[in-house]
Amino acid sequence: MESAERARTCLVTGATGYVGGRLVPELLAAGHRVRVLTRSPRKLRDRPWIGQVEVAEADATDAARVTRACEGVDVVYYLVHSLGSGPEFEATERETAEVAARAAREAGVGRLVFLGGLEPEDEELSPHLRSRSEVARVLLDSGVPTVVLRAAIVLGSGSVSFEMLRYLTERLPVMVTPRWVQSRIQPIAVRDVLRYLVGCATLPADVHRSFDIGGPDVMDYATMMQRYAEVTGLPRRRILPVPVVTPSLSSHWVGVITPVPAAIARPLVESLRNTVVCREHDIAQYVPDPPEGLLGFDEAVRLAVLRVRDNAVDTRWTGASVPGAPSDPLPSDPDWAGGSLYLDERTRETDATPEALWRVVEGIGGETGWYSFPLAWEVRGWMDRAVGGVGLRRGRRDPSDLYVGDALDWWRVEELDEGRLLRLRAEMRLPGLAWLEFHVERADSGRTRLRQKATFHPLGLLGQLYWWSVSPFHGIVFGSMIRNITRAAEALGEHGTQPRDRAA
């Protein structure tokens, strides 16, 4: 643990994201004081470290609030990005970085730390890498001592890059691939990224520069897929590069094969055409390599796959908010004046215990399914992905436990009262806002009661038409759902195992 003299007060932005959510406990373990900046504190409510940190509520574009959050802080970790937010994401990222840079300077912050992307020499940068480079420039020009760590692909359970690699390799024994599979890449394990980030907290004040960080292996993407297959015991993949496949087509192809939506896949795929290899390893002068060396590609994959199979993934790329997805809380006023609210409410009593019923409710989605016409849900998921939505394949972070803020297929956990209430907010593409709630309670009869409620707030005429077009199917979809959930709870009580999704 750090000595008291070297302990710092650190502000972590992007704490609901993949790297930020893992950095917080590492900083705490190193003896630092941590404050997290988030626009949705409720999403952090169930994190195991939440009682050890201070929470500052602010949107990253709110200059006044961000400045207040920076007051009394020694180190600001800038881990915000707008990946997948649309064609204007470069301007959004630059403006947000300018807010952070100005806030840090005005608050007297001692250091800024940013995790950016490796930049090739003599190549035109992809929009994603160009944006990361511009953010780095803004922070380095802030007047605050700044360190920029530049990394290529981050390998770790739950990272978006690892998920792309995993699903492409596991699902496609034969691949017709674009030319970017031949670009040279130097991936790095997430544990080494975190070690560097923590080490930056105590760098000397005169260190103000960028550092390239990468693991010990350099390879192209095709080799990464072959080595992933070898590590995981899959047959060798057949890879046939085709130079005419565009990044746009590639991103849609990735969106079909993997859980990563095309809106996020496209900037990542475009970046893969660049050579992203370290040109120096100067960071080792300040944060020495561990005695056993940096984690190699094969071992990083092995550990990541092991955590996935053991359901021990701490954070996932899906933890961050989906750009453009609704974030409005469910209107709770029964006389809500914000417009129409359509409801589908159903109640069913069961002889199952409340504990068994809650176990089924909390385990819904992902591999278990939704207890109502799996094919219909799958088709709706494909329809959502076809229009750029998240679809069903984000799955679950954990097969049995949920946290507020977790992604659950095309839903987001908005509220969870253990043993009593699960409220989900839809993040699929809809002409309105939608929620699905499950209440577990004791009935007057002494039996266990499940109350299931779907709520929809239509936006405009299209929203009204959407509700009335799907409402005839609610009796089938929602009726079978509540019936099969209670039956699964009864079976769980009898046999101690939770059955998979069943049709009506």
Side-chain angles (χ1 to χ4, degrees):
M1 179 176 289
E2 295 277 349
S3 65
E5 292 76 17
R6 290 179 62 79
R8 303 289 191 269
T9 298
C10 303
L11 175 67
V12 178
T13 66
T16 58
Y18 176 73
V19 174
R22 296 191 179 206
L23 177 60
V24 170
E26 295 293 329
L27 289 171
L28 292 170
H32 298 299
R33 298 172 293 274
V34 179
R35 180 183 300 166
V36 296
L37 179 74
T38 177
R39 62 183 176 185
S40 304
R42 294 171 62 258
K43 288 186 177 181
L44 299 174
R45 190 186 71 188
D46 295 324
R47 300 296 175 97
W49 41 259
I50 191 63
Q52 304 173 63
V53 305
E54 181 184 352
V55 179
E57 182 177 0
D59 188 282
T61 60
D62 189 328
R65 287 195 171 191
V66 174
T67 301
R68 285 198 295 272
C70 289
E71 292 174 355
V73 168
D74 300 307
V75 184
V76 172
Y77 285 91
Y78 187 77
L79 303 173
V80 176
H81 67 76
S82 303
L83 191 66
S85 60
E88 303 300 322
F89 83 93
E90 290 185 73
T92 301
E93 291 211 327
R94 182 179 61 254
E95 293 165 5
T96 306
E98 289 170 348
V99 169
R102 185 167 55 252
R105 183 175 61 250
E106 293 177 357
V109 168
R111 174 165 302 286
L112 281 164
V113 180
F114 171 58
L115 179 61
L118 278 171
E119 298 177 22
E121 289 184 317
D122 304 321
E123 292 182 19
E124 181 182 356
L125 296 181
S126 71
H128 174 54
L129 288 181
R130 186 172 63 229
S131 176
R132 298 280 83 187
S133 178
E134 177 64 10
V135 169
R137 183 198 63 76
V138 168
L139 299 179
L140 286 165
D141 291 346
S142 65
V144 177
T146 298
V147 165
V148 175
L149 299 179
R150 304 192 299 192
I153 287 176
V154 176
L155 294 173
S157 57
S159 78
V160 63
S161 297
F162 177 74
E163 291 292 286
M164 277 180 53
L165 174 66
R166 178 165 77 98
Y167 279 90
L168 287 174
T169 308
E170 291 181 355
R171 292 184 173 180
L172 295 176
V174 179
M175 289 170 273
V176 177
T177 57
R179 190 166 47 195
W180 52 256
V181 299
Q182 299 172 332
S183 299
R184 294 172 67 241
I185 303 166
Q186 189 167 355
I188 183 170
V190 67
R191 64 171 57 186
D192 287 323
V193 173
L194 294 172
R195 189 172 53 81
Y196 286 136
L197 286 169
V198 172
C200 286
T202 52
L203 289 178
D206 62 348
V207 178
H208 178 75
R209 55 166 290 185
S210 296
F211 293 98
D212 291 353
I213 60 172
D217 301 305
V218 177
M219 65 196 81
D220 57 32
Y221 204 87
T223 303
M224 288 174 59
M225 289 190 284
Q226 296 291 15
R227 286 177 62 170
Y228 179 97
E230 183 178 348
V231 170
T232 55
L234 295 171
R236 183 174 177 79
R237 276 26 204 160
R238 296 185 179 275
I239 298 173
L240 308 172
V242 178
V244 297
V245 179
T246 66
S248 178
L249 288 174
S250 295
S251 63
H252 286 293
W253 165 61
V254 170
V256 169
I257 300 300
T258 81
V260 181
I264 295 177
R266 177 159 188 170
L268 294 177
V269 166
E270 289 176 333
S271 298
L272 290 174
R273 72 173 187 243
N274 287 125
T275 301
V276 281
V277 176
C278 296
R279 296 194 295 272
E280 44 83 7
H281 189 50
D282 297 348
I283 188 66
Q285 301 173 24
Y286 303 97
V287 186
D289 293 345
E292 67 277 12
L294 300 173
L295 205 63
F297 177 86
D298 292 357
E299 183 64 10
V301 167
R302 188 188 68 79
L303 290 174
V305 170
L306 185 63
R307 293 186 71 85
V308 169
R309 291 174 178 171
D310 290 345
N311 298 308
V313 180
D314 298 322
T315 61
R316 298 180 68 208
W317 64 275
T318 55
S321 298
V322 175
S327 58
D328 311 54
L330 177 67
S332 56
D333 185 350
D335 297 320
W336 183 59
S340 302
L341 274 182
Y342 294 122
L343 303 176
D344 182 282
E345 295 184 86
R346 298 173 190 273
T347 302
R348 188 177 179 90
E349 293 187 6
T350 174
D351 291 326
T353 65
E355 293 76 17
L357 183 55
W358 176 255
R359 185 175 168 188
V360 174
V361 167
E362 193 176 10
I364 202 168
E367 292 296 320
T368 301
W370 292 89
Y371 295 94
S372 174
F373 293 96
L375 179 59
W377 284 79
E378 193 69 27
V379 169
R380 187 63 182 89
W382 278 100
M383 292 171 61
D384 190 49
R385 291 182 72 84
V387 295
V390 296
L392 281 175
R393 284 182 304 181
R394 291 190 302 181
R396 299 173 54 104
R397 175 191 54 82
D398 184 277
S400 56
D401 295 324
L402 291 174
Y403 292 160
V404 168
D406 272 0
L408 178 58
D409 292 329
W410 64 50
W411 307 92
R412 179 80 58 179
V413 180
E414 182 175 272
E415 185 57 74
L416 188 147
D417 184 356
E418 187 68 28
R420 298 177 54 195
L421 166 67
L422 173 62
R423 178 185 299 143
L424 308 173
R425 187 185 70 245
E427 290 188 333
M428 64 192 302
R429 297 295 179 93
L430 288 171
L433 309 176
W435 296 264
L436 180 62
E437 291 182 277
F438 301 95
H439 298 255
V440 176
E441 56 197 21
R442 280 287 188 186
D444 294 339
S445 63
R447 305 176 78 203
T448 304
R449 176 190 296 137
L450 176 62
R451 288 194 293 118
Q452 176 184 289
K453 181 168 70 172
T455 305
F456 183 69
H457 168 43
L459 298 180
L461 177 61
L462 189 59
Q464 301 279 347
L465 294 174
Y466 174 82
W467 173 263
W468 292 114
S469 68
V470 299
S471 58
F473 303 101
H474 285 174
I476 301 173
V477 175
F478 292 129
S480 62
M481 179 184 290
I482 193 170
R483 183 169 60 251
N484 288 327
I485 287 175
T486 53
R487 287 176 178 173
E490 292 163 1
L492 181 63
E494 294 174 3
H495 307 294
T497 58
Q498 184 172 330
R500 292 290 181 93
D501 194 353
R502 295 184 299 174

